[in-house]
Amino acid sequence: MSISLRIERKSGGEPIEFVKGEIIGFTYNNNSSIKLSAKSPNLAHSLHIQSKIPLHSLPSVIDNADNSNMLYTWATTEYKPDTEDYYRKCNIQIVRNENTIRDITFTHAYVDKYQEQIDTSKEILEFELVLKQKEDQLGKIQYSPQVEPKRTG
């Protein structure tokens, strides 16, 4: 089984990608009810991602360069209304035996939590990333395969 993550900026440029088995854990949380009448005003959809990356595979920071294709840089970006790349398109795909079993895209994702730890003895960086979809864009989350709610009656 493999998990891949792709994060794209609205302004283009190089995406942030983890495709070589670096994602070691994934959780999708949805705290809303299927029944419209039961929905609370505090809906939340989130992606929780854990990763281990060899330090040698991390891009170096170059002075005066556009380092916005680095996860750390995006995670530490302060929200400003005119910041074009604060919200990004994030796709996570889970593949087992060459079959995609989950494909979720947050069209307007932002970093809710980012935590990293470096183990110099093993030369790896471990991180936990929690992404959420912008509240007024919840209807634009894309799921595949699309699951139809069960009807009761």
Side-chain angles (χ1 to χ4, degrees):
M1 185 165 78
S2 68
I3 302 171
S4 63
L5 173 66
R6 181 179 175 93
I7 302 169
E8 299 174 36
R9 296 185 294 173
K10 291 180 183 184
S11 63
E14 288 295 315
I16 301 167
E17 289 187 290
F18 300 96
V19 294
K20 300 174 187 166
E22 295 139 336
I23 304 295
I24 59 169
F26 164 73
T27 304
Y28 171 76
N29 285 328
N30 173 353
N31 77 343
S32 63
S33 170
I34 290 177
K35 293 183 180 180
L36 185 60
S37 61
K39 293 208 182 267
S40 81
N42 298 323
L43 303 177
H45 296 259
S46 59
L47 303 174
H48 298 245
I49 300 156
Q50 299 88 36
S51 178
K52 286 186 180 182
I53 304 170
L55 285 174
H56 66 80
S57 68
L58 293 174
S60 61
V61 177
I62 301 169
D63 290 339
N64 301 319
D66 176 13
N67 292 304
S68 56
N69 67 331
M70 296 173 63
L71 182 59
Y72 175 81
T73 304
W74 179 45
T76 58
T77 300
E78 183 179 337
Y79 173 75
K80 295 177 186 167
D82 59 343
T83 304
E84 184 174 304
D85 287 329
Y86 184 77
Y87 295 104
R88 298 191 182 188
K89 181 179 178 181
C90 297
N91 173 263
I92 192 149
Q93 190 174 63
I94 297 136
V95 177
R96 182 182 62 209
N97 299 330
E98 298 182 18
N99 294 312
T100 300
I101 58 172
R102 291 286 183 277
D103 191 340
I104 302 170
T105 301
F106 278 23
T107 57
H108 295 79
Y110 65 93
V111 177
D112 183 56
K113 177 182 176 183
Y114 178 77
Q115 179 177 318
E116 70 178 23
Q117 173 179 317
I118 295 176
D119 184 336
T120 56
S121 65
K122 296 179 183 175
E123 295 193 6
I124 60 168
L125 177 136
E126 297 178 51
F127 72 79
E128 177 185 0
L129 174 67
V130 178
L131 301 174
K132 289 190 175 180
Q133 175 83 342
K134 186 177 179 188
E135 192 173 298
D136 65 346
Q137 301 293 320
L138 292 176
K140 294 186 178 181
I141 296 173
Q142 301 164 1
Y143 305 93
S144 181
Q146 186 64 42
V147 178
E148 294 294 323
K150 293 180 181 176
R151 305 236 182 240
T152 59

